[in-house]
Amino acid sequence: MVACKPKAEQAPVEGEEAASEAVKTPSVDMTAKDFQNSKALTDSVSYLVGINFGSFVKGYDFGDLNYAQIKKGMNDFIKAQGNPRDAEFGEQFRIDPNEMNEVFNKFLENRRHQKMLANKEKEDKFLAKNKTQKDVQVTESGLQYIIVEPGNANKPTSLKDTVWVRYKGETLDGEVFDEVPADADSVRMILGRVVKGWQEGLQLVGEGGKIKLFVPAELGYGERGNQGIEPNSTLIFDVDLDKVAPFVEKVKEEEAK
């Protein structure tokens, strides 16, 4: 019935009238000047472009860069002529942008090796001095530890055991990279799924005990590092072992009958 009505008599679809009003030509003629961005808005966008660039530099761990060259590269690209897909496009720059991946990878690989060697030197000096400190004990693997509180006789004895812990992890520089606060619920872990330093160290203390672990890189995250942890980093953990649940093999149905 609605379709048979003349167009002028049809009832407007819900929202159609408002939408129609929104697209009407302004009663006052607008000029290009009316759409000129304010200095405040331009500054805001500029700042956010900087944040976006900063996240890129920090995310890939480029470290200290020559910001004068960054500015030059930005200006050169903005002024560049032609299509970036054309082979001749890269000839306008001091370095062809097509070589970007190769140059970036070489730079970042050098930084990684530099950190690895520097952290290894720092580790050797720290562990050599730390093992002479009061109450510090050293295992055959090189793990150093202090038993703060021994706990009871219930200790983890298998990598399949489950433990509940609270802890704080720090780098040698004192930066806390992970933590379960003392007033928070303890975290459940299977011993075999944590770093080797923990696997060994938590078997040295009983339920209800506390231990301080000085974990060499090879017993931690090694040369690869981890998110927020540099390669070859020595790690220090304060661990409260709240509970231990020994692993129990499931009995097969056939054996149970």
Side-chain angles (χ1 to χ4, degrees), residues 32-212:
K33 187 177 180 180
D34 294 310
F35 294 95
Q36 177 69 38
N37 283 317
S38 66
K39 181 180 182 303
L41 182 56
T42 301
D43 288 348
S44 295
V45 169
S46 301
Y47 181 73
L48 291 172
V49 168
I51 286 180
N52 188 55
F53 174 72
S55 69
F56 169 77
V57 173
K58 187 174 182 178
Y60 281 92
D61 192 23
F62 279 97
D64 294 330
L65 295 173
N66 186 333
Y67 286 88
Q69 286 297 310
I70 290 174
K71 185 176 181 180
K72 175 172 172 48
M74 291 170 59
N75 288 332
D76 286 351
F77 191 87
I78 291 171
K79 295 175 183 178
Q81 302 294 320
N83 190 330
R85 297 180 180 179
D86 293 340
E88 299 79 12
F89 183 80
E91 297 175 0
Q92 303 174 76
F93 305 96
R94 186 171 69 84
I95 302 174
D96 190 336
N98 290 318
E99 299 177 12
M100 186 178 300
N101 286 341
E102 181 181 351
V103 176
F104 277 14
N105 288 338
K106 181 179 180 180
F107 180 87
L108 293 174
E109 186 67 10
N110 284 343
R111 275 185 58 78
R112 191 178 79 85
H113 282 291
Q114 182 186 39
K115 285 185 177 183
M116 284 173 53
L117 294 175
N119 287 335
K120 180 59 178 172
E121 291 175 5
K122 187 187 298 185
E123 173 176 278
D124 291 342
K125 291 179 181 179
F126 172 80
L127 293 177
K129 181 179 179 180
N130 191 63
K131 69 181 181 180
T132 66
Q133 303 300 313
K134 182 181 177 181
D135 298 329
V136 173
Q137 302 182 62
V138 186
T139 68
E140 187 176 344
S141 70
L143 175 69
Q144 298 184 7
Y145 67 96
I146 297 175
I147 300 293
V148 181
E149 293 181 19
N152 61 30
N154 186 22
K155 296 181 179 181
T157 57
S158 166
L159 296 184
K160 295 181 180 181
D161 289 350
T162 300
V163 296
W164 283 260
V165 296
R166 286 192 297 264
Y167 63 90
K168 180 173 70 173
E170 298 178 89
T171 64
L172 290 185
D173 296 327
E175 180 183 351
V176 177
F177 59 86
D178 196 8
E179 181 177 18
V180 178
D183 58 351
D185 291 336
S186 53
V187 177
R188 175 181 176 273
M189 299 177 177
I190 296 176
L191 197 58
R193 296 180 183 176
V194 295
V195 295
K196 292 181 179 179
W198 272 51
Q199 293 176 12
E200 182 179 1
L202 291 187
Q203 296 185 64
L204 301 172
V205 65
E207 188 176 73
K210 297 182 180 182
I211 189 170
K212 191 176 190 74

